[in-house]
Amino acid sequence: MSVIKFLDLGSQPIANGFLNKENFDKEFFFNLSVGLDDETGLVTQMEYVSPDIMFNDSYAYRGSLSKTMRDHFAEAKKRISAYLPENPKVLEIGSNDGVFVKNWNPATTFAVEPCENFAKETISLGYDTYSSFWSVELAENIKNTNGLMDLIFAANCMCHIPDLDGTFKAVESLLSDEGLFVFEDPSLIEMLSRNSYDQIYDEHAHIFSVTAVNKILNRNGLKVVNVEPISVHGGSNRIWAMKMSSQSKFLFDLEHFLTFESLVGVDDLNILSSFAERVEGSKIALINLLQKLQDDGNKVISYGATSKSTTIFNYCGIDSSLIEYITDTTPEKQGLYSPGTHIPILKAPSQIEQDVDVAFLGAWNFEKEIRNKENLFVERGGKFITHVPEVTLR
Ligand code: TYD
């Protein structure tokens, strides 16, 4: 197996590593490059950042803060429940602040969350929570204590884990014979079509195509039974998998889906290299636009201190000379500075401040929710910048 590099996003810090001034000179940087695994077709980072540097008790991303995500997981529960027995045993890997597990019965629902700050929250809600990284040993331990699971769920977590073989093996060992393994992560096709290169940051060790995931699941005793494209996180796939031996039937044509991905070229180096060229173009267009806005006397801020914007700001070299500050609703991020380019992060006011002319959408995936909320800004002629699928002021 070898991984062939097609994209270099330069020196990058920890995407969620929001920091205070005292820590500027101790910041950790690594080279963020992406390649194609010639065996599985997996799009993956050339070098993985050690998980304990990223996921620890000061991890700042909080799923429950957005209505979009709360609604999304409530809906996911309804959708998946239809395929489960009565009183199912459910386990979530990477339960964050409980935004998904909160929808399930605490007596039969288990959570795995290595970031202790969040594990404490689900424990206090009555969910048995294992504050550890997912592993074959942990799965064994959970099986011995609680038996097999009818549903193993993970959202924006599987693509975070460098060792997918070990991860899927552990899932297979804890799943009941007809149990479901449902996981959702950003989709490679969506990233290619939207030019959303900011899906790539330290935590996203891989950007999944179904083609690659299917091969890796298969060699670990699991098979894809359904795929649902979903809109969250800038375009994701919800992949449903079961044990190879499962008898359940889904009305889903995997071969058709794989043919579609093959036509798009998800594992074609030429296609991936042309994506890399578009990324370079996006960088130039964004810097030019921000420079022009500044030359014309506009006050520009950024909306949402996202992991995604860490990639953009560091790749494009955007600091507080071009974007005055970032607003965010997450208490853990407020008062700190953005990783790498050190733009101050302020508490999001109830409406964008009066003197702001333009807001860069760091959280472009919530554009609809944000536009609804910021109706006064829009009415007085305020504009947003988005870079997907191309750099636009609107
Ligand atoms: P998300 O796009 O999920 O981020 P990531 O790229 O890190 O996965 O997170 C959205 C961020 O934007 C989160 O920090 C909360 C913030 N946010 C606001 O400040 N205001 C808003 O109206 C919304 C929807 C999000």
Side-chain angles (χ1 to χ4, degrees):
M1 164 194 129
S2 64
V3 180
I4 305 150
K5 177 168 155 179
F6 64 84
L7 175 66
D8 189 337
L9 293 170
S11 175
Q12 294 276 349
I14 295 301
N16 263 309
F18 303 96
L19 70 175
N20 53 31
K21 273 191 176 156
E22 291 72 65
N23 289 324
F24 282 179
D25 56 356
K26 294 185 216 123
E27 208 171 358
F28 172 88
F29 286 88
F30 68 102
N31 174 261
L32 180 58
S33 290
V34 187
L36 176 71
D37 177 328
D38 64 359
E39 193 181 323
T40 57
L42 182 69
V43 165
T44 189
Q45 286 185 29
M46 301 302 295
E47 236 177 83
Y48 303 122
V49 173
S50 167
D52 48 1
I53 300 183
M54 299 179 282
F55 308 112
N56 47 48
D57 58 7
S58 53
Y59 189 63
Y61 178 82
R62 193 174 261 289
S64 286
L65 282 180
S66 130
K67 178 171 172 357
T68 308
M69 294 314 292
R70 291 193 303 273
D71 293 349
H72 170 75
F73 288 121
E75 199 49 49
K77 189 241 162 148
K78 274 199 215 147
R79 168 104 184 93
I80 301 167
S81 291
Y83 296 85
L84 295 174
E86 292 252 318
N87 305 318
K89 265 201 251 170
V90 175
L91 174 112
E92 184 180 18
I93 309 171
S95 49
N96 191 259
D97 63 355
V99 61
F100 176 76
V101 292
K102 272 177 205 168
N103 295 288
W104 300 83
N105 178 359
T108 47
T109 304
F110 308 90
V112 174
E113 174 49 64
C115 303
E116 250 179 66
N117 50 334
F118 290 131
K120 279 185 193 144
E121 293 190 22
T122 44
I123 289 171
S124 74
L125 294 169
Y127 294 90
D128 265 359
T129 306
Y130 295 80
S131 187
S132 315
F133 286 102
W134 179 244
S135 66
V136 173
E137 296 71 36
L138 178 63
E140 201 53 36
N141 173 10
I142 296 175
K143 183 164 72 181
N144 291 339
T145 325
N146 306 295
L148 298 170
M149 297 291 145
D150 300 303
L151 171 66
I152 298 182
F153 183 81
N156 306 300
C157 176
M158 289 298 110
C159 74
H160 288 184
I161 307 181
D163 173 19
L164 290 175
D165 285 309
T167 298
F168 292 162
K169 241 182 221 103
V171 167
E172 201 273 341
S173 73
L174 187 56
L175 209 53
S176 65
D177 284 352
E178 295 298 320
L180 282 171
F181 171 37
V182 179
F183 56 106
E184 36 185 80
D185 295 277
S187 142
L188 178 58
I189 285 201
E190 292 294 334
M191 182 182 85
L192 297 179
S193 64
R194 292 177 199 224
N195 240 359
S196 48
Y197 67 90
D198 51 337
Q199 292 289 8
I200 303 166
Y201 49 90
D202 53 358
E203 292 175 21
H204 287 177
H206 330 281
I207 305 288
F208 287 155
S209 64
V210 175
T211 304
V213 168
N214 182 48
K215 286 184 188 153
I216 303 169
L217 285 168
N218 285 174
R219 69 187 186 198
N220 293 291
L222 295 164
K223 62 182 178 189
V224 173
V225 294
N226 192 16
V227 178
E228 292 176 293
I230 48 177
S231 62
V232 295
H233 285 287
S236 302
N237 280 324
R238 178 182 291 151
I239 297 179
W240 302 48
M242 297 183 84
K243 287 196 177 200
M244 276 295 186
S245 54
S246 149
Q247 300 300 315
S248 302
K249 295 270 176 284
F250 277 77
L251 281 175
F252 172 70
D253 187 346
L254 178 62
E255 285 313 313
H256 189 256
F257 202 97
L258 297 180
T259 305
F260 167 59
E261 285 202 339
S262 162
L263 288 172
V264 173
V266 291
D267 52 2
D268 178 340
L269 257 190
N270 291 323
I271 296 292
L272 297 171
S273 302
S274 60
F275 165 71
E277 280 166 26
R278 294 199 301 279
V279 170
E280 177 76 30
S282 176
K283 168 181 177 169
I284 294 165
L286 181 58
I287 296 170
N288 288 346
L289 175 61
L290 289 172
Q291 196 59 61
K292 175 157 189 337
L293 286 168
Q294 189 179 63
D295 295 347
D296 293 347
N298 291 285
K299 177 161 174 163
V300 183
I301 64 150
S302 188
Y303 201 102
T306 58
S307 319
K308 296 186 287 294
S309 57
T310 297
T311 292
I312 298 175
F313 294 160
N314 284 277
Y315 174 60
C316 300
I318 295 165
D319 59 17
S320 54
S321 66
L322 287 174
I323 287 189
E324 209 161 294
Y325 59 82
I326 306 172
T327 62
D328 201 284
T329 49
T330 317
E332 286 88 345
K333 297 180 186 176
Q334 295 160 1
L336 298 177
Y337 292 81
S338 68
T341 64
H342 305 159
I343 304 173
I345 301 165
L346 309 184
K347 179 173 184 214
S350 56
Q351 285 279 317
I352 294 176
E353 300 287 358
Q354 278 293 330
D355 60 347
V356 172
D357 303 296
V358 177
F360 173 77
L361 282 170
W364 55 267
N365 41 319
F366 292 107
E367 181 167 356
K368 207 163 143 207
E369 180 174 339
I370 293 170
R371 278 186 184 275
N372 283 339
K373 200 154 78 178
E374 300 297 346
N375 56 325
L376 295 180
F377 174 69
V378 175
E379 277 164 24
R380 72 174 153 82
K383 295 265 185 288
F384 289 104
I385 300 175
T386 181
H387 73 293
V388 286
E390 47 194 42
V391 175
T392 317
L393 181 69
R394 61 185 178 211

